[in-house]
Amino acid sequence: MTRIVEPSRILNSVLASLEDSKAENIVPIDIQRKSSLGDYMVVASGRSHRHVAAVADHLISAVKEAGLGVPRVEGLASADWVLVDTGDVIVHIFRPEVREFYNLEKMWQTPDLDDGTMH
């Protein structure tokens, strides 16, 4: 029987792991009403290739140890931008200059046009 895990519990595990491995500028973004990709996106930085890889490795282990399954991982070999996808929470770990170039937070933090806040 498959156990259903609340996305907020996964988010809390992700944030705890990122903080524990000293990731920088951690920004959680609620994307539930913006995308079917997941419920939350988290953007964080590592100081170098080595730090980005270490943060990603720590996160992958934390997700597995919490019983949240095996996440899909991309970009670990180059460690410029590593994507760790748990299904409900998508985590992007960048080197600072790569993060600045792609600026995902700005794209995903724009207000919904249909949520009644922009009239």
Side-chain angles (χ1 to χ4, degrees), residues 25 27 29 41 43-45 81 92 94-110:
N25 301 318
V27 179
I29 304 167
M41 179 181 295
V43 182
S45 295
W81 172 2
H92 299 273
F94 291 101
R95 282 189 310 108
E97 54 274 18
V98 177
R99 180 177 180 171
E100 187 177 324
F101 178 80
Y102 287 102
N103 202 1
L104 288 183
E105 295 102 311
K106 185 173 185 182
M107 180 171 52
W108 285 96
Q109 288 179 322
T110 58

Coordinates of all heavy atoms in Angstrom, one line a residue, residues 25 27 29 41 43-45 81 92 94-110:
N25 N 20.6 31.6 0.4 CA 19.4 32.3 -0.2 C 18.3 31.3 -0.6 O 17.9 31.2 -1.8 CB 19.9 33.0 -1.5 CG 20.9 34.1 -1.1 OD1 20.8 34.8 -0.1 ND2 21.9 34.2 -1.9
V27 N 14.8 30.0 -1.2 CA 13.5 30.6 -1.5 C 12.5 29.5 -1.8 O 12.6 29.0 -2.9 CB 13.6 31.6 -2.6 CG1 12.3 32.3 -2.9 CG2 14.7 32.7 -2.3
I29 N 8.8 28.5 -3.1 CA 7.8 29.2 -3.9 C 6.6 28.2 -4.0 O 6.8 27.1 -4.5 CB 8.3 29.6 -5.3 CG1 9.5 30.4 -5.2 CG2 7.2 30.2 -6.1 CD1 10.3 30.6 -6.5
M41 N 8.2 24.8 -5.4 CA 9.6 24.9 -6.0 C 10.5 25.6 -4.9 O 10.0 26.5 -4.2 CB 9.5 25.7 -7.2 CG 10.9 25.9 -7.9 SD 10.8 26.9 -9.4 CE 9.7 25.9 -10.4
V43 N 14.3 27.3 -4.6 CA 15.5 27.7 -5.3 C 16.6 28.0 -4.2 O 16.2 28.7 -3.2 CB 15.3 29.0 -6.1 CG1 16.5 29.4 -6.9 CG2 14.1 28.7 -7.1
A44 N 17.8 27.5 -4.4 CA 18.8 27.7 -3.4 C 20.2 27.8 -4.1 O 20.3 27.5 -5.3 CB 18.9 26.6 -2.4
S45 N 21.2 28.3 -3.4 CA 22.5 28.5 -4.0 C 23.5 27.7 -3.1 O 23.4 27.6 -1.9 CB 22.9 30.0 -4.0 OG 22.1 30.7 -4.9
W81 N 24.0 23.8 -12.0 CA 22.6 23.8 -11.7 C 22.1 22.4 -11.5 O 22.1 21.6 -12.5 CB 21.8 24.5 -12.8 CG 20.3 24.5 -12.8 CD1 19.5 24.0 -11.8 CD2 19.5 25.1 -13.7 NE1 18.2 24.2 -12.1 CE2 18.1 24.9 -13.3 CE3 19.7 25.8 -14.9 CZ2 17.0 25.3 -14.0 CZ3 18.6 26.2 -15.7 CH2 17.3 26.0 -15.2
H92 N 15.9 23.5 -7.1 CA 16.9 23.9 -8.0 C 18.0 24.5 -7.1 O 17.8 25.4 -6.3 CB 16.4 25.1 -8.9 CG 15.3 24.7 -9.8 ND1 15.5 24.1 -11.0 CD2 13.9 24.8 -9.6 CE1 14.3 23.9 -11.6 NE2 13.3 24.3 -10.7
F94 N 21.8 26.1 -7.4 CA 22.6 26.8 -8.4 C 23.9 27.3 -7.8 O 23.9 27.6 -6.6 CB 21.9 28.1 -8.8 CG 20.7 27.9 -9.7 CD1 19.4 28.1 -9.1 CD2 20.8 27.7 -11.0 CE1 18.3 28.0 -9.9 CE2 19.7 27.6 -11.8 CZ 18.4 27.7 -11.3
R95 N 24.9 27.5 -8.6 CA 26.0 28.4 -8.3 C 25.4 29.8 -8.4 O 24.6 30.0 -9.3 CB 27.2 28.2 -9.2 CG 28.0 27.0 -8.9 CD 29.3 26.8 -9.6 NE 29.2 27.0 -11.1 CZ 29.6 28.1 -11.8 NH1 30.1 29.1 -11.1 NH2 29.4 28.2 -13.1
P96 N 25.9 30.8 -7.6 CA 25.2 32.1 -7.6 C 25.1 32.8 -9.0 O 24.1 33.3 -9.3 CB 26.1 32.9 -6.7 CG 26.7 31.9 -5.8 CD 26.9 30.7 -6.6
E97 N 26.2 32.7 -9.8 CA 26.1 33.4 -11.1 C 25.2 32.7 -12.1 O 24.5 33.4 -12.9 CB 27.5 33.6 -11.7 CG 28.3 32.3 -11.9 CD 29.1 31.9 -10.6 OE1 28.8 32.4 -9.5 OE2 30.0 31.1 -10.8
V98 N 25.0 31.4 -12.0 CA 24.1 30.7 -12.8 C 22.6 31.0 -12.4 O 21.7 31.3 -13.2 CB 24.3 29.2 -12.8 CG1 23.3 28.4 -13.6 CG2 25.8 28.9 -13.2
R99 N 22.4 31.1 -11.1 CA 21.1 31.4 -10.5 C 20.7 32.8 -11.0 O 19.6 33.1 -11.4 CB 21.2 31.4 -9.0 CG 19.8 31.7 -8.4 CD 19.9 31.6 -6.9 NE 18.7 31.9 -6.2 CZ 18.5 31.7 -4.9 NH1 19.4 31.1 -4.2 NH2 17.3 32.0 -4.4
E100 N 21.6 33.8 -10.9 CA 21.3 35.1 -11.3 C 21.0 35.2 -12.8 O 20.1 35.9 -13.2 CB 22.6 36.0 -11.0 CG 22.3 37.5 -11.3 CD 23.6 38.3 -10.9 OE1 24.3 38.0 -10.0 OE2 23.8 39.3 -11.6
F101 N 21.7 34.4 -13.6 CA 21.4 34.4 -15.1 C 20.0 33.9 -15.4 O 19.3 34.5 -16.2 CB 22.5 33.5 -15.8 CG 22.2 33.4 -17.3 CD1 22.7 34.4 -18.1 CD2 21.6 32.3 -17.8 CE1 22.5 34.4 -19.5 CE2 21.4 32.2 -19.2 CZ 21.8 33.3 -20.0
Y102 N 19.6 32.8 -14.8 CA 18.3 32.2 -15.1 C 17.1 32.9 -14.3 O 16.0 32.9 -14.8 CB 18.3 30.7 -14.8 CG 19.1 30.0 -15.9 CD1 20.3 29.5 -15.6 CD2 18.5 29.7 -17.1 CE1 21.1 28.8 -16.6 CE2 19.3 29.1 -18.1 CZ 20.5 28.6 -17.8 OH 21.2 28.0 -18.8
N103 N 17.4 33.4 -13.1 CA 16.4 34.2 -12.4 C 15.0 33.5 -12.3 O 14.0 34.1 -12.6 CB 16.3 35.6 -13.0 CG 15.8 36.6 -12.0 OD1 15.5 36.2 -10.8 ND2 15.6 37.8 -12.4
L104 N 15.0 32.2 -11.9 CA 13.8 31.5 -11.8 C 12.8 32.1 -10.8 O 11.6 32.0 -11.1 CB 14.0 30.0 -11.4 CG 14.7 29.1 -12.4 CD1 14.8 27.7 -11.8 CD2 13.9 29.1 -13.7
E105 N 13.3 32.6 -9.7 CA 12.3 33.2 -8.7 C 11.5 34.2 -9.3 O 10.3 34.3 -9.1 CB 13.1 33.8 -7.6 CG 13.9 32.9 -6.7 CD 15.4 33.0 -7.0 OE1 15.8 32.9 -8.2 OE2 16.1 33.1 -6.0
K106 N 12.0 35.1 -10.1 CA 11.2 36.2 -10.7 C 10.1 35.6 -11.6 O 9.0 36.1 -11.6 CB 12.2 37.2 -11.5 CG 11.4 38.4 -12.0 CD 12.3 39.4 -12.7 CE 11.6 40.6 -13.1 NZ 12.4 41.6 -13.7
M107 N 10.5 34.6 -12.4 CA 9.5 34.0 -13.3 C 8.4 33.4 -12.5 O 7.2 33.5 -12.9 CB 10.2 33.0 -14.2 CG 9.3 32.3 -15.2 SD 10.1 31.3 -16.4 CE 11.2 30.3 -15.4
W108 N 8.7 32.7 -11.5 CA 7.6 31.9 -10.7 C 6.9 32.7 -9.7 O 5.9 32.3 -9.2 CB 8.3 30.6 -10.2 CG 8.5 29.6 -11.2 CD1 9.6 29.4 -11.9 CD2 7.5 28.7 -11.8 NE1 9.4 28.4 -12.9 CE2 8.2 28.0 -12.8 CE3 6.2 28.5 -11.6 CZ2 7.5 27.0 -13.6 CZ3 5.5 27.5 -12.3 CH2 6.2 26.8 -13.3
Q109 N 7.5 33.8 -9.2 CA 6.9 34.6 -8.2 C 5.9 35.7 -8.7 O 5.4 36.4 -7.9 CB 7.9 35.2 -7.2 CG 8.6 34.1 -6.4 CD 9.6 34.7 -5.5 OE1 10.4 35.7 -5.9 NE2 9.7 34.2 -4.3
T110 N 5.7 35.7 -10.0 CA 4.8 36.7 -10.5 C 3.4 36.3 -10.0 O 3.0 35.2 -9.9 CB 4.8 36.8 -12.0 OG1 4.5 35.5 -12.6 CG2 6.2 37.2 -12.5

